[in-house]
């Protein structure tokens, strides 16, 4: 927090002008800090020429503990959202490494207890209230933070979905802790037992591992599709804790007008078992058409790298990668794709990868299970011919 030394303050007002968050109001010439709005960025301290402002580092709001690992049980119209099963699989794996328990927190007017029992977590923490029927990020943050303060989990994970991205950063600010968004990998440091949160950084050119050393809970959002979900029938039922929160925490911050569902996309890459992807090596719509025919011939779903989407040859919902969809097919066939890290993070969980490329040294060819060196305009027609004749592809 920022403290003002009124003995040193010359009432110049520079600090209010310097604050990027409009957190300083000059009242009767004196700067008054709105601690709710203040992010502790320190810009005002720099701006004050009279050393009248001081940044006081706050203690971690919650002492370091080996508390439970929590996941946020985001719901959609069918109950728990698919990403929650993925988060549960990761949380259970981390909990085994850290030797702690797991819990899912579900807020709503109906709590999908049966679905939650299939997550394999140790505890279900549920807040049921008619005012929680619709997701409101401020209201949900109030409730979730209240629960965190009560139970002190060591880790809190959410999906990197529209809901998770609205809720978890808000909670991190309220709880004065760190959050790593859009993680592609999470693990526990075997020595410190701190959560290692890995995500693409600097435009995706490196994978950065980030830690929240001193503040709790350690918070991260995880991209859907990064972790394999496990829908299990657990040996032991999870304990259910029904929680109540003060009514004032449940006030809506917006007025509900209507719900318009997003039109269904024609491609569901996340559930596809076999994917054939077209890269910039297709060189244009004709090449993409050839790859699409190949996909159709083998009953695969068609996907694309980003340059193919940027060029307008295929649609955004077909894009695989950091800024597209993360997939886990049984087989991924990359046609003319170099394997840049931003593409790789979206498809590296494929069980088997086949690459067709003219460049044997590109990352996709080096990392593929089967690398076919050649021009897609030669290889794909040959492959389709072999499929028709039920023959193996000639070496
Ligand atoms: C912030 C950020 C986010 C990004 N997000 C994504 C993302 O989500 N998804 C994504 O895909 N990219 C993403 N990118 C872009 C990424 O960095 C690469 O530029 C992109 O993945 C390259 O696509 P490509 O492999 O199709 O094209 P290129 O890198 O141009 O590779 C084309 C390949 O085709 C081969 N080739 C050429 N002609 C033929 C032929 N006739 N037959 C066979 N092979 C041939 C070449 O040898 C080459 O390996 C992102 C970049 C940034 C900075
Ligand atoms: S910049 Fe410093 S001296 Fe000026 S009003 Fe702010 S605190 Fe006071
Ligand atoms: S620390 Fe940053 S956010 Fe807080 S009052 Fe100063 S300038 Fe504004």
């Amino acid at each position: 927090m920022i403290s003002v030394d009124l003995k040193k303050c010359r009432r110049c007002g520079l600090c209010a002008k310097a604050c990027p968050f409009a957190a300083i109001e000059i009242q009767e010439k004196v700067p008054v800090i709105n601690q709710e709005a203040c992010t502790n960025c320190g810009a005002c301290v720099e701006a004050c020429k009279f050393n009248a402002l001081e940044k006081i580092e706050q203690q971690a709001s919650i002492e370091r503990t080996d508390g439970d690992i929590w996941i946020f049980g985001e719901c959609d119209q069918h109950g728990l959202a698919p990403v929650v099963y993925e988060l549960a699989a990761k949380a259970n794996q981390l909990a085994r490494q850290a030797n702690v328990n797991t819990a899912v927190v579900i807020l709503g007017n109906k709590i999908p207890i049966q679905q939650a029992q299939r997550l394999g977590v140790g505890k279900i923490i549920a807040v049921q209230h008619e005012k929680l029927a619709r997701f409101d990020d401020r209201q949900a943050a109030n409730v979730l933070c209240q629960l965190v303060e009560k139970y002190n989990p060591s880790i809190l994970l959410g999906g990197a979905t529209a809901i998770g991205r609205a809720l978890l950063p808000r909670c991190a600010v309220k709880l004065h802790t760190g959050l790593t968004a859009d993680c592609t990998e999470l693990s526990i440091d075997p020595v410190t037992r701190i959560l290692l949160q890995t995500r693409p950084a600097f435009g995706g050119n490196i994978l950065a591992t980030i830690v929240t050393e001193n503040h709790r809970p350690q918070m991260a959002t995880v991209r859907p599709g990064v972790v394999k979900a496990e829908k299990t029938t657990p040996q032991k039922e999870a304990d259910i804790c029904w929680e109540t929160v003060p009514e004032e925490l449940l006030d809506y911050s917006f007025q509900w007008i209507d719900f318009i569902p997003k039109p269904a996309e024609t491609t569901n890459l996340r559930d596809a078992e076999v994917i054939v992807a077209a890269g910039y090596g297709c060189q244009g719509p004709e090449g993409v058409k050839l790859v699409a025919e190949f996909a159709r011939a083998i009953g695969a779903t068609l996907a694309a790298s980003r340059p193919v989407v940027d060029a307008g040859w295929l649609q955004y919902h077909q894009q695989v990668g950091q800024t597209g969809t993360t997939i886990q097919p049984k087989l991924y066939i990359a046609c003319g794709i170099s394997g840049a890290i931003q593409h790789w993070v979206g498809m590296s969980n494929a069980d088997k990868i086949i690459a067709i490329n003219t460049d044997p040294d590109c990352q996709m060819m080096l990392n593929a299970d089967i690398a076919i060196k050649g021009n897609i305009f030669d290889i794909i027609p040959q492959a389709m011919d072999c499929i028709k004749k039920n023959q193996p592809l000639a070496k």
Side-chain angles (χ1 to χ4, degrees), residues 263-304:
E265 286 167 348
T266 46
T267 308
N268 187 356
L269 289 180
R270 264 188 205 118
D271 294 337
E273 295 206 332
V274 181
I275 292 180
V276 172
Y280 210 55
C282 287
Q283 298 169 9
E286 279 307 305
V288 172
K289 201 169 145 213
L290 179 66
V291 175
E293 276 168 25
F294 178 44
R296 212 171 306 119
I298 62 168
T301 304
L302 180 66

Side-chain angles (χ1 to χ4, degrees), residues 67-71 91 94-95 98 100-104 153-157 188:
D68 289 352
I69 299 179
W70 280 17
I71 58 172
L94 296 173
V100 295
N101 290 321
T102 48
V104 59
S154 62
I155 294 173
L156 172 56
L157 307 177
I188 299 283

Side-chain angles (χ1 to χ4, degrees), residues 233-308:
T233 314
Q235 309 277 312
K236 187 175 164 288
E237 289 222 318
D239 298 334
I240 304 172
C241 302
W242 293 100
E243 289 285 340
T244 52
V245 291
E247 279 288 321
E248 63 267 22
L249 294 189
L250 297 170
D251 290 341
Y252 285 124
S253 64
F254 63 84
Q255 188 195 346
W256 186 270
I257 297 171
D258 199 1
F259 174 70
I260 302 167
K262 198 173 140 197
E265 286 167 348
T266 46
T267 308
N268 187 356
L269 289 180
R270 264 188 205 118
D271 294 337
E273 295 206 332
V274 181
I275 292 180
V276 172
Y280 210 55
C282 287
Q283 298 169 9
E286 279 307 305
V288 172
K289 201 169 145 213
L290 179 66
V291 175
E293 276 168 25
F294 178 44
R296 212 171 306 119
I298 62 168
T301 304
L302 180 66
S305 68
R306 179 161 146 176
V308 169

